[in-house]
Amino acid sequence: MGNSGTGVTSVASEVTAGTAGTADESETGGSEGSGSATATGTTAPTTGGPTTTTVGPTSSTTVEPMTGTASTADSLSEGTSEGTSQGTTTNGLTDGTTTSTTGLEPGVCGDGQLNVGEQCDNGPDNGPDAACSEECVLNTCGDGKVDPGETCDLGPDNGPDNGCSVTCDILPTSCGTQEAEAELIPKPVDIVITIDNSGSMGEEIVGVQNNINVNFAQIIESSGLDYRVIMVSRFGNDSAESVCIEAPLGGIAQGGCTNPPNKPVNGDRFFHYSVEIGSHNSWCRLLATLNGNTDDEYGFAPEGWQKWLRPDAFKIFLELTDDGVECSYNNISYDDNNNVNSGLTAATKFDERLIAVAPQHFGDSKENRNYKWYSIVGMAYNNPADKPYSDVDPIVTGKCPTAADNGTGYQTLSNITGALRFPLCDTSKYDVVFQAIANGVVADAKIACDFEIPPPPEGKTLDEDSIVVEFTPTGQMNPLLLGKVPSVDQCDSMSFYVEDGKVILCPDACDLAQDDKDATLKVEFTCDPLMPL
């Protein structure tokens, strides 16, 4: 059938002849292709019965509800959408229909529409890693799933004590910032006393025995300092210029030195290495007995008096003699010749030798010297007579009344090491002398530059890289921050390193602490993150 120009067309012909026109084409009344026709409101039967044709001008036709399997609307919308609900067709288009673009039945999760009971619906974008889940529920922190914008989610286990926070972020620390005061504890002190046993030293030895407990050991004890005393001198009765030390410092009962026992009694604080010290040879005797090359008379320390030294202790020497230095040991001679220049030469050589034979005890260099040398020698009196000489006072070449020589070598070693010097002759002033030495020992006690890292909270692990040390000098409000370096090789004046579970101040930082005993140190750290599983 051809077109009559009157707008009369069979729907069957329209559908089967050539290419079907689109909805837009039907509105303009034209389409390209063989057998094309213009829709004029004619509808195909919906029951498979005869074709009904309406003839007349082009117009809109109201269509009965469709009950069959084919419809004009289906033909017009083919290729643009799938399925159309019941409605009214105007000019071949569906009016008032509800269309699903997902192929799903309307009203179900995933159709892209927010239906009753749904929190969200993004259609095909729903998913376990999307803002909206496959169940049309918003993915939120605390649901146990890692959603967009979250780095973790442990559900009900989120919180400050787990690896995942309440905002679903991996916690940078699982214990917060911990801090503790680092106690500045003085290093232990080992005090080595050597006394000349020559015939002119009887009164001086008595003066030592009378003052060493009350005016020396007691002062050090009351300071809380961890100390011990090592006596290197011949043991015995003072009438024979020998030394006997009673309780409480020594192990011999009080009064027991009136008639000394056969040998000294050592204890926790006091150790006696019995060997005779001559008028001029105390330095050589100390070197010979240090490692046991010259035996202790009673065999208490076959390996020498170093047996009683503690590697971590600061060392204090106290020399008592009324003479000068003149001796040789291991082909090295020490002779002060009772003058300043020779005293400097002798003292320098002894200092170098002492450091060389036992650097673990006395320091590995002049810069890292770990001892001081106090002298009670035959020098002339100060003014007043009981006033000590300090290391800034010049070497005294005069002698006190009962002395043989002025001991310039010993004096110089005291100056080199920053210690005090006293005249020997007036034993009635020994209480003041020994009190001053005791107070000096307490003041000289070096602050330990290492301390234990405060433990983290139970069940937590320390993050070593987070450690910061705050050093606050005396009288200052603002602390200096010391940072961690990998090892002592990378040290500077504002750093520390960690070794064997301890914070160890670098040498220059240690000097700051030791020069300011009233400063405070605070250690801060965090814990390793608890990574969520």
Side-chain angles (χ1 to χ4, degrees), residues 243-328:
V243 182
C244 180
I245 304 300
E246 299 178 351
L249 180 60
I252 297 171
Q254 291 183 350
C257 283
T258 302
N259 293 301
N262 294 330
K263 57 185 178 181
V265 178
N266 294 334
D268 295 333
R269 296 282 193 190
F270 180 80
F271 305 87
H272 200 138
Y273 195 96
S274 181
V275 63
E276 184 176 351
I277 305 296
S279 294
H280 304 282
N281 69 353
S282 64
W283 283 356
C284 294
R285 297 296 267 176
L286 284 172
L287 292 172
T289 56
L290 174 64
N291 297 315
N293 292 335
T294 297
D295 292 334
D296 164 29
E297 183 180 357
Y298 299 100
F300 286 145
E303 63 272 43
W305 52 269
Q306 69 164 349
K307 170 184 178 180
W308 299 313
L309 296 177
R310 295 169 291 179
D312 61 337
F314 188 70
K315 310 302 187 297
I316 298 289
F317 285 93
L318 175 57
E319 169 84 34
L320 288 99
T321 183
D322 62 355
D323 226 321
V325 180
E326 186 182 356
C327 66
S328 295

Coordinates of all heavy atoms in Angstrom, one line a residue, residues 243-328:
V243 N 99.9 2.3 108.6 CA 98.6 2.8 108.6 C 97.6 1.7 109.0 O 97.7 0.6 108.5 CB 98.2 3.4 107.2 CG1 96.8 4.0 107.2 CG2 99.2 4.4 106.7
C244 N 96.7 2.1 109.9 CA 95.6 1.2 110.3 C 94.3 2.0 110.3 O 94.2 3.0 111.0 CB 95.9 0.6 111.7 SG 94.6 -0.6 112.3
I245 N 93.3 1.5 109.6 CA 92.0 2.2 109.5 C 90.9 1.4 110.2 O 90.7 0.2 109.8 CB 91.6 2.5 108.1 CG1 92.7 3.3 107.4 CG2 90.3 3.3 108.0 CD1 93.1 4.7 108.0
E246 N 90.2 2.0 111.2 CA 89.2 1.3 111.9 C 87.8 1.5 111.3 O 87.7 2.3 110.3 CB 89.2 1.9 113.4 CG 90.5 1.6 114.1 CD 90.4 2.2 115.5 OE1 89.4 3.0 115.8 OE2 91.3 2.0 116.3
A247 N 86.8 0.9 112.0 CA 85.4 1.1 111.6 C 85.1 2.6 112.0 O 85.7 3.2 112.9 CB 84.6 0.2 112.4
P248 N 84.1 3.2 111.3 CA 83.2 2.5 110.4 C 83.7 2.4 109.0 O 83.1 1.6 108.2 CB 82.0 3.4 110.4 CG 82.5 4.8 110.8 CD 83.7 4.6 111.7
L249 N 84.7 3.1 108.6 CA 85.2 3.0 107.2 C 85.9 1.7 107.0 O 85.6 0.9 106.1 CB 86.1 4.1 106.9 CG 86.7 4.1 105.4 CD1 85.6 4.2 104.4 CD2 87.7 5.3 105.2
G250 N 86.9 1.4 107.9 CA 87.6 0.1 107.8 C 86.9 -1.0 108.5 O 85.9 -0.8 109.1
G251 N 87.4 -2.2 108.3 CA 86.7 -3.4 108.9 C 87.2 -3.8 110.3 O 86.6 -4.6 110.9
I252 N 88.2 -3.1 110.8 CA 88.7 -3.3 112.1 C 87.8 -2.6 113.1 O 87.4 -1.4 112.9 CB 90.1 -2.9 112.3 CG1 91.0 -3.7 111.3 CG2 90.6 -3.0 113.7 CD1 92.4 -3.2 111.2
A253 N 87.4 -3.2 114.2 CA 86.5 -2.6 115.2 C 87.2 -1.3 115.8 O 88.4 -1.2 115.8 CB 86.2 -3.6 116.3
Q254 N 86.3 -0.4 116.2 CA 86.8 0.8 116.7 C 87.7 0.5 118.0 O 87.3 -0.2 118.8 CB 85.6 1.7 117.1 CG 84.9 2.3 115.9 CD 83.8 3.3 116.3 OE1 83.4 3.4 117.5 NE2 83.2 4.0 115.3
G255 N 88.8 1.2 118.0 CA 89.8 0.9 119.1 C 90.8 -0.2 118.7 O 91.8 -0.4 119.4
G256 N 90.5 -0.9 117.6 CA 91.3 -2.1 117.3 C 92.6 -1.8 116.7 O 93.5 -2.6 116.7
C257 N 92.8 -0.5 116.3 CA 94.1 -0.1 115.7 C 95.2 0.2 116.8 O 96.3 0.5 116.5 CB 94.0 1.0 114.7 SG 93.3 0.4 113.1
T258 N 94.8 0.3 118.1 CA 95.7 0.5 119.1 C 96.8 -0.6 119.1 O 98.0 -0.4 119.3 CB 95.0 0.6 120.5 OG1 94.1 1.7 120.5 CG2 96.0 0.9 121.6
N259 N 96.3 -1.8 119.0 CA 97.1 -3.0 118.8 C 96.6 -3.7 117.5 O 95.7 -4.5 117.6 CB 97.1 -3.9 120.0 CG 97.7 -3.4 121.2 OD1 98.9 -3.0 121.2 ND2 96.9 -3.2 122.3
P260 N 97.1 -3.3 116.4 CA 96.5 -3.8 115.1 C 96.5 -5.3 115.0 O 97.4 -5.9 115.5 CB 97.4 -3.1 114.0 CG 98.0 -1.9 114.7 CD 98.2 -2.4 116.1
P261 N 95.5 -5.8 114.3 CA 95.5 -7.3 114.0 C 96.7 -7.6 113.0 O 97.4 -6.7 112.6 CB 94.2 -7.5 113.4 CG 93.7 -6.2 112.9 CD 94.3 -5.2 113.8
N262 N 96.8 -8.9 112.7 CA 97.9 -9.3 111.8 C 97.8 -8.8 110.4 O 98.8 -8.7 109.7 CB 98.0 -10.8 111.8 CG 98.3 -11.4 113.2 OD1 99.1 -10.7 113.9 ND2 97.9 -12.6 113.5
K263 N 96.6 -8.4 110.0 CA 96.4 -7.9 108.6 C 95.2 -7.0 108.6 O 94.3 -7.1 109.5 CB 96.2 -9.1 107.7 CG 95.1 -10.0 108.0 CD 95.1 -11.2 107.0 CE 94.0 -12.2 107.3 NZ 94.0 -13.4 106.4
P264 N 95.1 -6.2 107.6 CA 93.9 -5.3 107.5 C 92.6 -6.1 107.3 O 92.6 -7.3 106.8 CB 94.2 -4.4 106.3 CG 95.2 -5.2 105.5 CD 96.0 -6.0 106.5
V265 N 91.5 -5.5 107.6 CA 90.2 -6.1 107.3 C 89.4 -5.2 106.4 O 89.1 -4.0 106.7 CB 89.4 -6.2 108.7 CG1 88.0 -6.8 108.4 CG2 90.1 -7.1 109.7
N266 N 89.2 -5.7 105.2 CA 88.5 -5.0 104.2 C 87.0 -5.2 104.3 O 86.5 -6.1 104.9 CB 89.0 -5.4 102.8 CG 90.4 -5.1 102.5 OD1 91.0 -4.2 103.1 ND2 91.1 -5.8 101.6
G267 N 86.3 -4.2 103.7 CA 84.8 -4.3 103.8 C 84.2 -3.9 102.5 O 84.8 -4.0 101.4
D268 N 83.0 -3.3 102.5 CA 82.3 -2.9 101.3 C 82.8 -1.6 100.8 O 82.8 -1.3 99.6 CB 80.8 -2.8 101.5 CG 80.2 -4.1 101.8 OD1 80.7 -5.2 101.4 OD2 79.1 -4.2 102.6
R269 N 83.3 -0.7 101.7 CA 83.8 0.6 101.3 C 85.3 0.8 101.4 O 85.8 1.7 100.8 CB 83.1 1.6 102.3 CG 81.6 1.7 102.2 CD 81.2 2.5 101.0 NE 79.8 2.9 101.1 CZ 79.1 3.4 100.1 NH1 79.6 3.6 99.0 NH2 77.8 3.7 100.3
F270 N 85.9 -0.1 102.1 CA 87.4 0.1 102.3 C 88.2 -1.1 101.9 O 87.8 -2.2 102.3 CB 87.6 0.5 103.8 CG 89.0 0.7 104.2 CD1 89.6 1.9 103.9 CD2 89.8 -0.3 104.7 CE1 91.0 2.1 104.2 CE2 91.1 -0.1 105.0 CZ 91.7 1.1 104.8
F271 N 89.3 -0.8 101.2 CA 90.2 -1.9 100.8 C 91.7 -1.4 101.0 O 92.0 -0.3 100.6 CB 90.0 -2.2 99.3 CG 88.5 -2.5 99.0 CD1 87.6 -1.5 98.7 CD2 88.1 -3.8 99.0 CE1 86.3 -1.7 98.4 CE2 86.8 -4.1 98.7 CZ 85.9 -3.0 98.4
H272 N 92.4 -2.3 101.6 CA 93.8 -1.9 102.0 C 94.8 -2.8 101.1 O 94.8 -4.0 101.2 CB 94.1 -2.1 103.4 CG 95.3 -1.3 104.0 ND1 95.3 -0.7 105.2 CD2 96.5 -1.1 103.4 CE1 96.4 -0.1 105.3 NE2 97.2 -0.3 104.3
Y273 N 95.6 -2.1 100.3 CA 96.7 -2.8 99.6 C 98.0 -2.4 100.3 O 98.5 -1.3 100.1 CB 96.7 -2.3 98.1 CG 97.5 -3.1 97.2 CD1 96.9 -4.1 96.4 CD2 98.9 -3.0 97.0 CE1 97.6 -4.9 95.5 CE2 99.6 -3.7 96.2 CZ 99.0 -4.7 95.4 OH 99.7 -5.5 94.5
S274 N 98.5 -3.4 101.1 CA 99.6 -3.1 101.9 C 100.9 -3.2 101.1 O 101.3 -4.3 100.7 CB 99.6 -4.1 103.1 OG 100.7 -3.8 104.0
V275 N 101.6 -2.1 101.0 CA 102.9 -2.0 100.3 C 103.6 -0.8 100.8 O 103.0 0.2 101.1 CB 102.8 -2.0 98.8 CG1 102.1 -0.7 98.3 CG2 104.1 -2.1 98.1
E276 N 104.9 -0.9 101.0 CA 105.7 0.2 101.6 C 105.9 1.3 100.6 O 106.3 1.1 99.4 CB 107.0 -0.2 102.1 CG 107.8 0.9 102.8 CD 109.1 0.5 103.5 OE1 109.3 -0.8 103.5 OE2 109.9 1.3 103.9
I277 N 105.6 2.6 101.0 CA 105.8 3.8 100.1 C 106.9 4.6 100.7 O 106.9 4.9 101.9 CB 104.5 4.6 100.1 CG1 103.3 3.8 99.6 CG2 104.7 5.9 99.2 CD1 103.4 3.3 98.2
G278 N 108.0 4.8 99.9 CA 109.1 5.6 100.4 C 108.9 7.1 100.3 O 107.9 7.6 99.8
S279 N 110.0 7.8 100.6 CA 109.9 9.3 100.6 C 109.6 9.9 99.2 O 108.9 10.9 99.1 CB 111.2 9.9 101.2 OG 111.4 9.5 102.5
H280 N 110.2 9.3 98.2 CA 110.1 9.9 96.9 C 109.4 9.1 95.8 O 109.3 9.5 94.7 CB 111.5 10.2 96.3 CG 112.4 11.0 97.3 ND1 112.3 12.4 97.4 CD2 113.3 10.6 98.1 CE1 113.1 12.8 98.2 NE2 113.8 11.8 98.7
N281 N 109.0 7.9 96.1 CA 108.6 6.9 95.1 C 107.1 6.6 95.0 O 106.7 5.5 94.4 CB 109.4 5.6 95.3 CG 109.0 4.8 96.5 OD1 108.2 5.3 97.3 ND2 109.5 3.6 96.7
S282 N 106.2 7.4 95.5 CA 104.8 7.0 95.5 C 104.3 6.8 94.1 O 103.5 5.9 93.8 CB 104.0 8.1 96.2 OG 104.0 9.3 95.6
W283 N 104.7 7.6 93.1 CA 104.2 7.4 91.7 C 104.6 6.1 91.2 O 103.9 5.4 90.6 CB 104.7 8.6 90.8 CG 103.9 9.9 91.0 CD1 102.8 10.1 91.8 CD2 104.2 11.1 90.4 NE1 102.4 11.4 91.7 CE2 103.2 12.0 90.9 CE3 105.2 11.5 89.5 CZ2 103.2 13.4 90.5 CZ3 105.2 12.9 89.1 CH2 104.2 13.8 89.6
C284 N 105.9 5.8 91.4 CA 106.4 4.5 90.8 C 105.7 3.3 91.6 O 105.4 2.3 90.9 CB 107.9 4.4 91.0 SG 108.8 5.7 90.0
R285 N 105.5 3.4 92.8 CA 104.8 2.4 93.6 C 103.4 2.2 93.2 O 102.9 1.1 93.1 CB 104.9 2.6 95.1 CG 106.3 2.7 95.6 CD 107.0 1.3 95.5 NE 106.8 0.5 96.7 CZ 107.3 -0.7 96.8 NH1 107.9 -1.3 95.8 NH2 107.1 -1.4 98.0
L286 N 102.7 3.3 92.9 CA 101.4 3.2 92.4 C 101.3 2.5 91.0 O 100.4 1.6 90.8 CB 100.7 4.6 92.3 CG 100.3 5.3 93.6 CD1 99.9 6.7 93.3 CD2 99.2 4.5 94.3
L287 N 102.2 2.8 90.2 CA 102.2 2.1 88.8 C 102.6 0.7 89.0 O 102.0 -0.2 88.3 CB 103.3 2.9 87.9 CG 102.9 4.3 87.5 CD1 104.0 4.9 86.7 CD2 101.6 4.3 86.6
A288 N 103.5 0.3 89.9 CA 104.0 -1.0 90.0 C 102.9 -1.9 90.7 O 102.8 -3.1 90.4 CB 105.2 -1.1 90.9
T289 N 102.1 -1.3 91.6 CA 101.0 -2.1 92.3 C 99.7 -2.1 91.6 O 98.8 -2.9 91.9 CB 100.9 -1.6 93.7 OG1 100.6 -0.2 93.6 CG2 102.1 -1.8 94.5
L290 N 99.5 -1.2 90.6 CA 98.2 -1.1 89.9 C 97.8 -2.4 89.3 O 96.7 -2.9 89.5 CB 98.3 0.0 88.8 CG 97.1 0.1 87.9 CD1 95.8 0.5 88.7 CD2 97.4 1.0 86.8
N291 N 98.7 -3.1 88.7 CA 98.4 -4.4 88.0 C 99.0 -5.6 88.7 O 99.1 -6.7 88.2 CB 98.9 -4.4 86.6 CG 98.2 -3.3 85.7 OD1 97.0 -3.2 85.8 ND2 99.0 -2.6 85.0
G292 N 99.5 -5.3 90.0 CA 100.0 -6.4 90.8 C 101.5 -6.8 90.5 O 101.9 -7.9 90.9
N293 N 102.2 -6.0 89.7 CA 103.6 -6.3 89.5 C 104.4 -6.3 90.8 O 105.4 -7.0 90.9 CB 104.2 -5.3 88.5 CG 103.6 -5.5 87.1 OD1 103.1 -6.6 86.7 ND2 103.6 -4.4 86.3
T294 N 104.0 -5.5 91.7 CA 104.5 -5.5 93.1 C 103.3 -6.0 94.0 O 102.3 -5.4 94.0 CB 105.0 -4.1 93.5 OG1 106.1 -3.7 92.7 CG2 105.5 -4.2 95.0
D295 N 103.6 -7.1 94.7 CA 102.5 -7.7 95.4 C 102.0 -7.0 96.6 O 102.8 -6.3 97.3 CB 102.9 -9.2 95.8 CG 103.1 -10.1 94.6 OD1 102.5 -9.8 93.6 OD2 103.9 -11.0 94.7
D296 N 100.7 -7.2 96.9 CA 100.2 -6.8 98.2 C 100.7 -7.7 99.2 O 100.8 -8.9 99.0 CB 98.6 -6.9 98.1 CG 98.0 -6.9 99.4 OD1 98.5 -6.3 100.3 OD2 96.9 -7.6 99.5
E297 N 101.1 -7.2 100.3 CA 101.8 -7.9 101.4 C 101.0 -9.1 101.9 O 101.5 -10.2 102.3 CB 102.1 -7.0 102.5 CG 102.9 -7.7 103.7 CD 103.2 -6.7 104.8 OE1 102.9 -5.5 104.7 OE2 103.8 -7.1 105.8
Y298 N 99.7 -9.0 101.8 CA 98.8 -10.0 102.4 C 98.0 -10.8 101.3 O 97.2 -11.6 101.6 CB 97.8 -9.4 103.4 CG 98.5 -8.7 104.5 CD1 98.7 -7.3 104.5 CD2 99.0 -9.4 105.6 CE1 99.3 -6.7 105.6 CE2 99.6 -8.8 106.6 CZ 99.8 -7.5 106.6 OH 100.5 -6.9 107.7
G299 N 98.3 -10.6 100.1 CA 97.8 -11.3 99.0 C 96.3 -11.1 98.7 O 95.6 -12.0 98.2
F300 N 95.8 -9.9 99.1 CA 94.4 -9.7 98.9 C 94.0 -9.4 97.4 O 92.9 -9.7 97.0 CB 93.9 -8.4 99.7 CG 93.8 -8.7 101.2 CD1 94.1 -7.7 102.1 CD2 93.4 -9.9 101.7 CE1 94.0 -7.9 103.5 CE2 93.3 -10.1 103.1 CZ 93.6 -9.1 104.0
A301 N 95.0 -8.9 96.7 CA 94.7 -8.6 95.3 C 95.9 -8.9 94.4 O 96.7 -8.0 94.1 CB 94.4 -7.1 95.2
P302 N 96.1 -10.2 94.1 CA 97.3 -10.6 93.3 C 97.3 -9.8 91.9 O 98.4 -9.7 91.4 CB 97.0 -12.1 93.1 CG 96.2 -12.5 94.2 CD 95.3 -11.3 94.5
E303 N 96.2 -9.4 91.4 CA 96.2 -8.7 90.1 C 96.3 -7.2 90.3 O 96.1 -6.4 89.4 CB 94.9 -9.0 89.4 CG 93.6 -8.6 90.0 CD 93.0 -9.6 91.0 OE1 93.8 -10.2 91.7 OE2 91.8 -9.8 91.0
G304 N 96.6 -6.8 91.5 CA 96.8 -5.3 91.8 C 95.6 -4.7 92.4 O 94.5 -5.2 92.4
W305 N 95.8 -3.4 92.8 CA 94.6 -2.7 93.4 C 93.6 -2.2 92.4 O 92.5 -1.8 92.8 CB 95.1 -1.5 94.3 CG 96.1 -0.5 93.6 CD1 97.4 -0.6 93.6 CD2 95.7 0.6 92.9 NE1 97.9 0.5 92.9 CE2 96.9 1.3 92.4 CE3 94.5 1.2 92.5 CZ2 96.9 2.4 91.7 CZ3 94.5 2.4 91.8 CH2 95.7 3.0 91.4
Q306 N 93.9 -2.4 91.1 CA 92.9 -2.1 90.1 C 91.7 -3.0 90.3 O 90.6 -2.8 89.8 CB 93.5 -2.3 88.7 CG 93.8 -3.7 88.4 CD 94.0 -3.9 86.9 OE1 93.7 -3.0 86.1 NE2 94.5 -5.1 86.5
K307 N 91.9 -4.2 91.0 CA 90.8 -5.1 91.3 C 89.6 -4.4 91.9 O 88.4 -4.7 91.7 CB 91.3 -6.2 92.2 CG 90.2 -7.1 92.7 CD 90.7 -8.2 93.7 CE 89.6 -9.0 94.3 NZ 90.2 -10.0 95.2
W308 N 89.9 -3.4 92.7 CA 88.8 -2.7 93.5 C 88.3 -1.5 92.8 O 87.4 -0.8 93.3 CB 89.4 -2.4 94.9 CG 89.8 -3.6 95.7 CD1 89.1 -4.7 95.8 CD2 91.0 -3.8 96.4 NE1 89.7 -5.6 96.6 CE2 90.9 -5.1 97.0 CE3 92.1 -3.0 96.6 CZ2 92.0 -5.6 97.8 CZ3 93.1 -3.5 97.4 CH2 93.1 -4.8 98.0
L309 N 88.9 -1.1 91.7 CA 88.4 0.0 90.9 C 87.2 -0.3 90.1 O 87.1 -1.5 89.6 CB 89.5 0.6 90.0 CG 90.8 1.1 90.6 CD1 91.7 1.6 89.5 CD2 90.4 2.3 91.5
R310 N 86.3 0.6 90.0 CA 85.1 0.4 89.2 C 85.2 1.2 87.9 O 85.4 2.4 87.9 CB 83.8 0.8 90.0 CG 83.6 -0.1 91.2 CD 82.6 0.5 92.1 NE 83.0 1.8 92.8 CZ 82.2 2.5 93.6 NH1 81.0 2.1 93.9 NH2 82.7 3.6 94.2
P311 N 85.0 0.5 86.8 CA 85.1 1.2 85.5 C 84.3 2.4 85.3 O 84.7 3.4 84.7 CB 84.7 0.1 84.4 CG 85.0 -1.2 85.1 CD 84.6 -0.9 86.6
D312 N 83.1 2.4 85.9 CA 82.2 3.6 85.8 C 82.4 4.7 86.8 O 81.7 5.7 86.9 CB 80.7 3.1 85.8 CG 80.4 2.5 87.2 OD1 81.3 2.0 87.9 OD2 79.2 2.4 87.5
A313 N 83.4 4.5 87.7 CA 83.6 5.4 88.8 C 84.6 6.5 88.4 O 85.6 6.3 87.7 CB 84.1 4.7 90.0
F314 N 84.4 7.7 88.9 CA 85.4 8.8 88.8 C 86.5 8.5 89.9 O 86.2 8.0 91.0 CB 84.7 10.1 89.0 CG 85.6 11.3 88.8 CD1 86.0 11.6 87.5 CD2 86.1 12.1 89.8 CE1 86.8 12.7 87.2 CE2 86.9 13.2 89.5 CZ 87.3 13.5 88.2
K315 N 87.7 8.8 89.5 CA 88.8 8.5 90.4 C 89.4 9.7 91.1 O 89.6 10.8 90.5 CB 89.9 7.8 89.7 CG 89.5 6.6 88.8 CD 88.8 5.5 89.5 CE 88.5 4.3 88.7 NZ 87.6 4.5 87.6
I316 N 89.6 9.6 92.4 CA 90.2 10.7 93.2 C 91.5 10.1 93.8 O 91.4 9.0 94.5 CB 89.3 11.2 94.3 CG1 88.0 11.8 93.7 CG2 90.0 12.1 95.2 CD1 88.2 13.1 93.0
F317 N 92.6 10.8 93.6 CA 93.9 10.4 94.3 C 94.1 11.4 95.5 O 93.9 12.6 95.3 CB 95.1 10.4 93.4 CG 95.1 9.2 92.5 CD1 94.5 9.3 91.2 CD2 95.7 8.0 92.8 CE1 94.6 8.2 90.3 CE2 95.8 6.9 92.0 CZ 95.2 7.0 90.7
L318 N 94.6 10.9 96.6 CA 95.0 11.8 97.7 C 96.5 11.3 98.1 O 96.7 10.2 98.6 CB 94.1 11.6 98.9 CG 94.5 12.4 100.1 CD1 94.7 13.9 99.8 CD2 93.4 12.2 101.2
E319 N 97.4 12.2 97.9 CA 98.8 12.0 98.2 C 99.2 12.7 99.5 O 98.9 13.9 99.7 CB 99.7 12.5 97.0 CG 101.2 12.6 97.3 CD 101.9 11.3 97.1 OE1 101.5 10.6 96.1 OE2 102.9 11.0 97.8
L320 N 99.8 11.9 100.4 CA 100.4 12.5 101.6 C 101.9 12.2 101.7 O 102.2 11.0 101.9 CB 99.7 12.0 102.9 CG 98.2 12.5 103.1 CD1 97.2 11.4 102.6 CD2 98.0 12.8 104.5
T321 N 102.7 13.2 101.6 CA 104.1 13.1 101.7 C 104.8 14.4 102.1 O 104.2 15.5 101.7 CB 104.8 12.5 100.4 OG1 106.2 12.3 100.6 CG2 104.5 13.5 99.3
D322 N 105.9 14.3 102.8 CA 106.6 15.6 103.1 C 107.9 15.8 102.2 O 108.7 16.6 102.5 CB 107.1 15.6 104.6 CG 108.0 14.4 104.9 OD1 108.3 13.6 104.0 OD2 108.5 14.4 106.1
D323 N 107.9 15.0 101.1 CA 109.0 15.1 100.2 C 108.6 15.3 98.7 O 107.4 15.4 98.5 CB 109.9 13.8 100.3 CG 111.4 14.1 100.5 OD1 111.8 15.0 99.8 OD2 112.0 13.4 101.3
G324 N 109.6 15.3 97.8 CA 109.3 15.5 96.4 C 109.3 14.2 95.7 O 109.4 13.1 96.2
V325 N 109.3 14.3 94.3 CA 109.3 13.1 93.4 C 110.6 12.8 92.9 O 111.3 13.7 92.4 CB 108.3 13.3 92.3 CG1 108.2 12.1 91.4 CG2 106.9 13.7 92.8
E326 N 111.1 11.5 93.0 CA 112.3 11.1 92.4 C 112.3 9.5 92.4 O 112.6 8.9 93.4 CB 113.5 11.6 93.2 CG 114.8 11.2 92.5 CD 116.1 11.7 93.2 OE1 115.9 12.4 94.3 OE2 117.2 11.4 92.8
C327 N 111.9 9.0 91.2 CA 111.9 7.5 91.1 C 111.8 7.1 89.6 O 111.6 8.0 88.8 CB 110.7 6.9 91.8 SG 109.1 7.4 91.1
S328 N 112.0 5.8 89.3 CA 111.9 5.3 88.0 C 111.1 4.0 88.0 O 111.2 3.2 88.9 CB 113.3 5.1 87.4 OG 114.0 6.3 87.3

